[in-house]
Amino acid sequence: MDAGELKAADVQVEIATDLETAVRATPGVRSVYRSGSLISNLLRAGAAALGGRPEDEPLVSVAPVGDGVAVEASIGVDSAAGSGDTLRAVHAAIDAVLATQGLRSDSITLTVVHVQPAEAAPAG
């Protein structure tokens, strides 16, 4: 597959879903959030409410750029895992998914939007 084939909405959703699954499965990732500004997220929610876009679309964004793709993901990480290590692991997971699809990354933008403290150990 090349970046040109990614212009079809259903192909973009399929790849974005695969990417989101890989990001969620990465050790240290506690959650995945919708990328973008508050305003773009409000516009997206409004369009979904009007029937423009499904609300259950993947949270990871993927778009064709030149000969490659741009991927954007916002994540919550476990404080015990460390943000830097988790970001490197997520980047590798995204590269692996793209490689299986025959795609090359033009850019991968990862944002840590929440660091969740480790669960308190039960007293005992």
Side-chain angles (χ1 to χ4, degrees):
M1 171 182 311
D2 64 20
E5 294 176 75
L6 197 62
K7 293 185 195 253
D10 58 333
V11 174
Q12 271 186 312
V13 168
E14 180 181 329
I15 293 172
T17 301
D18 292 347
L19 290 169
E20 183 178 333
T21 299
V23 169
R24 287 184 184 280
T26 303
V29 173
R30 296 289 293 261
S31 50
V32 178
Y33 299 92
R34 188 165 311 284
S35 294
S37 69
L38 177 60
I39 297 205
S40 67
N41 283 321
L42 287 172
L43 291 172
R44 188 179 294 124
L50 296 172
R53 295 181 83 169
E55 186 59 32
D56 61 344
E57 69 182 7
L59 300 176
V60 173
S61 169
V62 60
V65 176
D67 291 337
V69 295
V71 177
E72 186 175 341
S74 297
I75 60 173
V77 299
D78 188 326
S79 63
S83 296
D85 291 338
T86 303
L87 287 171
R88 284 186 284 281
V90 169
H91 195 285
I94 289 171
D95 275 337
V97 170
L98 294 177
T100 63
Q101 297 289 336
L103 294 168
R104 174 185 77 69
S105 67
D106 180 76
S107 66
I108 297 175
T109 304
L110 303 173
T111 305
V112 175
V113 297
H114 182 71
V115 177
Q116 187 166 348
E119 302 290 328

